[in-house]
Amino acid sequence: MIKRITPIILSAFAFLLGWHLLTRYSGIPNFILPSPLSVWMRFLKAVSDGSLQRHTWITLTEILLGLLAGVTFATVLGYFLAKSRALEKVLSPYLVASQAIPVIAIAPLLVIWLGDGILSKVVICALIVFFPVLVNTVVGVRAVPSALYDLMRSLHATRAQILWKVEVPASLPVFLGGLRIGATLSVIGAIVGELVDAEEGLGFLLQVGDFQYDTPMVFVAVFTLIALALALYGVVRLLENKFLKWQERSNV
């Protein structure tokens, strides 16, 4: 554990030291590139007045709801696409076309259609999460060895038993790989919605900091978003460690 953490600590220290030296000796104004100390003091101020916690909670709520909606819909649709080539042929052009349109381009329309509340942010977040999870679900289900299906049929297994005993465990490694990507992208989805139109959330703090030339606040919001993305990524990694222990045993 210590061996894993030490390189992270050393790299973070080197980053902060380089940042400090750059702001100290380069002559760059603080409103363009604030020092680490300025960002830390602004962070403490935002925490003490409660604004950072409030806006972070709003953004986190949007992220979790969007992630849940996107993953659920992508998993269900991905399973049916994996089992039906005909359905895939019908829907694939629309799914691919939906990815050719940047979400930032349709985000204003979604805000107009769904309002400037939390619903539009959740939908934008779900749209960004949807495709990588969908693709990995299809790939994971189709990667299940046919020999396992033959074995379950020889045991007269029901459709539900095949799903939970074979398809879910066998496709889980690929699915969780897609979930890792989706969990990280979900943060981007929530912020895109907030930057379009919001009066709350970390995206709102980014805009306020930008308009007021409060660059340390911009850095605080950015680092908070990075922390959220790392936390979500870490949760998925924990899920992998919990549900994929059989892979480690099989490789021994």
PDB file of all heavy atoms in Angstrom, residues 17 60 99 162 185:
ATOM      1  N   LEU A  17       5.556  22.152  -5.975  1.00  0.00           N
ATOM      2  CA  LEU A  17       6.815  22.901  -5.919  1.00  0.00           C
ATOM      3  C   LEU A  17       7.066  23.634  -7.226  1.00  0.00           C
ATOM      4  O   LEU A  17       7.440  24.830  -7.228  1.00  0.00           O
ATOM      5  CB  LEU A  17       7.966  21.941  -5.611  1.00  0.00           C
ATOM      6  CG  LEU A  17       9.368  22.575  -5.545  1.00  0.00           C
ATOM      7  CD1 LEU A  17       9.414  23.624  -4.435  1.00  0.00           C
ATOM      8  CD2 LEU A  17      10.432  21.504  -5.341  1.00  0.00           C
ATOM      9  N   LEU A  60     -22.593  17.045  -7.303  1.00  0.00           N
ATOM     10  CA  LEU A  60     -22.487  15.612  -7.052  1.00  0.00           C
ATOM     11  C   LEU A  60     -23.837  14.922  -7.221  1.00  0.00           C
ATOM     12  O   LEU A  60     -23.907  13.800  -7.750  1.00  0.00           O
ATOM     13  CB  LEU A  60     -21.943  15.370  -5.648  1.00  0.00           C
ATOM     14  CG  LEU A  60     -21.747  13.902  -5.235  1.00  0.00           C
ATOM     15  CD1 LEU A  60     -20.777  13.206  -6.182  1.00  0.00           C
ATOM     16  CD2 LEU A  60     -21.259  13.806  -3.798  1.00  0.00           C
ATOM     17  N   GLN A  99     -23.506  10.212 -31.306  1.00  0.00           N
ATOM     18  CA  GLN A  99     -22.172  10.503 -30.802  1.00  0.00           C
ATOM     19  C   GLN A  99     -21.409  11.481 -31.693  1.00  0.00           C
ATOM     20  O   GLN A  99     -20.395  12.023 -31.277  1.00  0.00           O
ATOM     21  CB  GLN A  99     -21.377   9.203 -30.667  1.00  0.00           C
ATOM     22  CG  GLN A  99     -21.944   8.250 -29.654  1.00  0.00           C
ATOM     23  CD  GLN A  99     -22.138   8.895 -28.293  1.00  0.00           C
ATOM     24  OE1 GLN A  99     -21.180   9.367 -27.678  1.00  0.00           O
ATOM     25  NE2 GLN A  99     -23.373   8.921 -27.811  1.00  0.00           N
ATOM     26  N   ILE A 162     -29.091 -18.497 -16.570  1.00  0.00           N
ATOM     27  CA  ILE A 162     -28.009 -18.218 -17.530  1.00  0.00           C
ATOM     28  C   ILE A 162     -27.547 -16.767 -17.413  1.00  0.00           C
ATOM     29  O   ILE A 162     -26.343 -16.477 -17.458  1.00  0.00           O
ATOM     30  CB  ILE A 162     -28.471 -18.527 -18.966  1.00  0.00           C
ATOM     31  CG1 ILE A 162     -28.721 -20.027 -19.129  1.00  0.00           C
ATOM     32  CG2 ILE A 162     -27.446 -18.051 -19.982  1.00  0.00           C
ATOM     33  CD1 ILE A 162     -29.282 -20.405 -20.486  1.00  0.00           C
ATOM     34  N   LEU A 185     -16.474  10.563 -17.137  1.00  0.00           N
ATOM     35  CA  LEU A 185     -17.146  11.487 -18.054  1.00  0.00           C
ATOM     36  C   LEU A 185     -18.384  12.123 -17.436  1.00  0.00           C
ATOM     37  O   LEU A 185     -18.810  13.195 -17.870  1.00  0.00           O
ATOM     38  CB  LEU A 185     -17.539  10.749 -19.335  1.00  0.00           C
ATOM     39  CG  LEU A 185     -16.396  10.271 -20.236  1.00  0.00           C
ATOM     40  CD1 LEU A 185     -16.956   9.515 -21.434  1.00  0.00           C
ATOM     41  CD2 LEU A 185     -15.553  11.448 -20.705  1.00  0.00           C
TER      42      LEU A 185
END
